[in-house]
Amino acid sequence: MFSPVIRQWLDSNQHPGYASHLRTNRSNVETELMSLGIDLNSEAAYLYINYGSAPVRGWYELNEVEQIQAATAYAHSELGVPENFLALTGIEGQGITLLDKITGSVFDVEFGQFELLSSGNLTPIAKSIGEFLLWCKNNEHA
C-alpha cells in the first residue's frame, strides 16, 4: 500500500519483537481501529496493522492504536477539534497531529490554529498517511 521507499524506511526502523507483537495482536488492533471508525482498507489501518506506531520516526512520536481514543477525546473536549479528526499524537510541544477520517489528510495543528482547522481553512501537511510518512522520513533527523 505504501511506496517502496516508505516500506523500506518502516522496515528499517522496526524492532523484531514489536513486529511479532503486532502479528500476535492483529485482531485486537483491527477491533480498536474499527472502534475508532478507521476503515480496515485505509492507509491508516495498514500502518497500524502491519507496522504499528514505533517505526515512525522523525518530527513526532505517534500514539499507539490503544492511545488514540483517549488522545482524541481530549482533543475534542479540550481543544475543540471537530469530531471527524483522530489524534495521531498527543500534545507535542506546540500542537497536535490529527487525521481527518473523512479525507485521510493529516494536519499538524499548532495552538492558535484550531479555529482555522474547524473552519476548513488550515492546509494539511499531507493528503494521506503515506504522504505523512514521507514527511516524517524527511524530517527524521531535523
Side-chain angles (χ1 to χ4, degrees):
M1 182 167 274
F2 297 132
S3 71
V5 170
I6 294 302
R7 286 195 315 267
Q8 181 181 13
W9 177 68
L10 291 169
D11 287 339
S12 72
N13 290 334
Q14 185 70 283
H15 185 277
Y18 186 73
S20 175
H21 169 76
L22 286 173
R23 283 190 298 276
T24 302
N25 292 297
R26 181 182 177 118
S27 65
N28 293 340
V29 171
E30 289 176 350
T31 299
E32 189 69 37
L33 290 166
M34 288 186 296
S35 75
L36 293 167
I38 297 176
D39 181 348
L40 294 182
N41 295 313
S42 69
E43 285 187 345
Y46 185 82
L47 171 66
Y48 277 100
I49 291 168
N50 294 290
Y51 296 98
S53 64
V56 180
R57 308 263 168 80
W59 205 252
Y60 297 107
E61 182 176 320
L62 291 185
N63 287 325
E64 292 289 338
V65 71
E66 301 86 10
Q67 299 169 318
I68 294 173
Q69 182 61 44
T72 298
Y74 177 84
H76 292 166
S77 67
E78 300 299 320
L79 303 174
V81 170
E83 292 295 317
N84 56 301
F85 288 93
L86 294 174
L88 292 178
T89 67
I91 301 297
E92 301 280 340
Q94 298 297 317
I96 188 170
T97 302
L98 303 167
L99 170 67
D100 184 334
K101 293 189 297 185
I102 297 169
T103 67
S105 295
V106 178
F107 292 79
D108 182 32
V109 187
E110 295 180 9
F111 290 109
Q113 293 182 321
F114 293 106
E115 286 182 18
L116 286 172
L117 178 73
S118 295
S119 68
N121 292 315
L122 187 65
T123 302
I125 58 170
K127 293 181 182 176
S128 68
I129 290 288
E131 282 186 19
F132 172 68
L133 294 173
L134 183 58
W135 183 85
C136 288
K137 178 186 179 304
N138 292 336
N139 287 289
E140 183 174 22
H141 301 290

